[in-house]
Amino acid sequence: MSEKPTALLAGKNSIRRADFLAATTETDWHFISCDVTEEAERFLEAVAQADVVIGGGRFNVPPTNRLKLYQIPFTGYDWITAADLPKGVVFCNTHEHETTIAEHILLGMLEFQVGLMRDTDPMMRQKSYNGRSISAGPMHRELRGRTVGIVGYGHIGREVARRCKAFGMSVMAVSRTVRDEGDLVDWYGTVAELDKLVIESDFIVVCAPLDDSTRGMIGTDQFAKMKADAIICNVARGEVIDEAALYAALAGNRIRGGILDVWYTYPSKKAPNPWPSRFPFQKLQNVILSPHNSAWTEEMTTRRWTFVARQLDRFVRGESLQNICFVGEA
């Protein structure tokens, strides 16, 4: 490019992120920072000058002859389609969260098997040895020899599989496209074979993206086929699992438990701190709950914004962009 390109950062932390990108990019950029929710008119003016928009949210990108790239610094994009972007604008997302989420999942799985914080530590604090000889327990379970079934085998699923293999587990997976995963996956099927996975798995980890084909893909029928001591884990989107069916399976002890990081109700201006579901999951004792934060670490955030910096460098140099999701059609 002959002139310095312009990147518009749209978001509440845009000034801080612009400073990071200015210090991290290897190419020369002009950065504009704008809080879309507070500066709607300024955003419309700024986007007309931008070669790249970096941000994410439910704001419209008006037609522009200059914009070429819309880069979101996170992964999920079920809130936008090609029809929402000007024709030819490349839309890319950012990963770098998969190892962090995989660690979160394995922690939950280990807690259900070992019960260190839920069972053993509280008992020791209250009852010491509880009258037992140290050769008599208390007993707990192992991950070794168990089967994990991964629904939606992508970046996160692969990292979960790697860690489960290290614990001596068997790995099953389903996705739209079956890929060669070598020794990581013991059985790999299509989504049409989901029932086989839920029947045979001890842990079912849901990583599938949310769209019309995956909404409610795990419901009453699937829960009825699961093992009585199965654990369901959802780090995808809440709606991939039918809300009522999930609560019924857990509250009725149809399955042993759940590890839930994604939800059905989220904070808004009208309701800044709602319960995450219309059902009282927070009252259940067989569920590990977290507020959609399984990905969030300082290290992950740095990795993401470093990826964005490298993406900007690729853009200036005319190199192939990474993580292309679609191209605008409006």
Side-chain angles (χ1 to χ4, degrees):
M1 291 185 176
S2 58
E3 64 180 61
K4 184 188 296 188
T6 296
L8 169 60
L9 281 86
K12 291 184 178 180
N13 297 316
S14 57
I15 294 177
R16 180 162 61 93
R17 301 307 185 193
D19 290 342
F20 177 88
L21 292 175
T24 309
T25 49
E26 298 171 353
T27 49
D28 198 12
W29 283 82
H30 172 55
F31 293 104
I32 303 174
S33 302
C34 181
D35 185 341
V36 181
T37 57
E38 301 294 334
E39 304 174 284
E41 291 186 9
R42 182 168 174 266
F43 171 78
L44 293 177
E45 295 175 0
V47 75
Q49 308 170 37
D51 299 282
V52 177
V53 169
I54 303 168
R58 299 181 184 279
F59 51 81
N60 294 321
V61 178
T64 166
N65 293 325
R66 183 163 177 170
L67 187 65
K68 299 293 185 295
L69 169 64
Y70 187 163
Q71 177 72 53
I72 60 172
F74 50 87
T75 303
Y77 57 94
D78 48 286
W79 45 273
I80 191 170
T81 68
D84 297 316
L85 284 184
K87 187 174 182 178
V89 174
V90 179
F91 182 92
C92 298
N93 68 351
T94 307
H95 297 289
E96 308 302 331
H97 62 306
E98 49 267 29
T99 58
T100 313
I101 294 178
E103 290 180 4
H104 179 102
I105 292 167
L106 265 293
L107 173 64
M109 292 168 62
L110 282 165
E111 183 58 26
F112 267 105
Q113 296 303 86
V114 179
L116 190 60
M117 296 305 293
R118 284 186 159 199
D119 303 316
T120 309
D121 179 79
M123 184 207 72
M124 190 74 182
R125 291 176 186 275
Q126 296 170 20
K127 301 179 180 180
S128 187
Y129 295 99
N130 199 23
R132 287 190 177 92
S133 163
I134 60 171
S135 62
M139 299 292 185
H140 58 79
R141 304 182 186 215
E142 301 181 6
L143 284 180
R144 178 181 177 179
R146 302 302 195 273
T147 297
V148 62
I150 302 170
V151 181
Y153 189 88
H155 290 79
I156 298 171
R158 185 173 294 108
E159 295 303 324
V160 172
R162 287 193 174 112
R163 285 154 181 78
C164 288
K165 277 295 181 181
F167 280 92
M169 300 181 71
S170 296
V171 177
M172 304 179 72
V174 296
S175 61
R176 290 174 181 146
T177 303
V178 176
R179 297 181 291 275
D180 180 7
E181 285 297 305
D183 295 333
L184 278 182
V185 178
D186 300 287
W187 177 87
Y188 201 149
T190 65
V191 176
E193 299 170 282
L194 176 62
D195 282 358
K196 176 177 172 63
L197 182 145
V198 300
I199 289 169
E200 298 183 18
S201 296
D202 300 293
F203 294 88
I204 298 153
V205 179
V206 182
C207 308
L210 177 65
D211 57 31
D212 290 342
S213 68
T214 63
R215 192 180 306 275
M217 71 184 299
I218 296 181
T220 302
D221 290 346
Q222 287 69 41
F223 283 113
K225 295 171 183 175
M226 292 179 190
K227 296 180 179 181
D229 64 348
I231 305 294
I232 186 84
C233 173
N234 193 3
V235 293
R237 288 292 184 266
E239 291 86 352
V240 176
I241 303 179
D242 181 86
E243 184 178 10
L246 174 62
Y247 182 77
L250 291 167
N253 294 306
R254 172 61 193 81
I255 60 174
R256 182 158 62 105
I259 304 165
L260 305 178
D261 184 54
V262 292
W263 295 100
Y264 306 90
T265 304
Y266 281 93
S268 65
K269 288 185 177 180
K270 291 184 178 180
N273 191 38
W275 288 110
S277 169
R278 58 194 173 99
F279 297 100
F281 284 93
Q282 68 276 9
K283 295 183 179 181
L284 301 180
Q285 298 302 307
N286 60 343
V287 188
I288 296 175
L289 313 178
S290 55
H292 203 144
N293 76 324
S294 63
W296 289 105
T297 65
E298 290 295 335
E299 296 89 341
M300 185 280 296
T301 302
T302 299
R303 289 195 300 271
R304 277 189 170 173
W305 284 95
T306 300
F307 171 88
V308 173
R310 297 289 81 80
Q311 187 85 313
L312 293 179
D313 291 336
R314 285 186 284 271
F315 178 85
V316 171
R317 294 166 180 161
E319 299 170 357
S320 297
L321 297 175
Q322 295 182 8
N323 296 3
I324 295 177
C325 302
F326 58 79
V327 179
E329 298 176 350

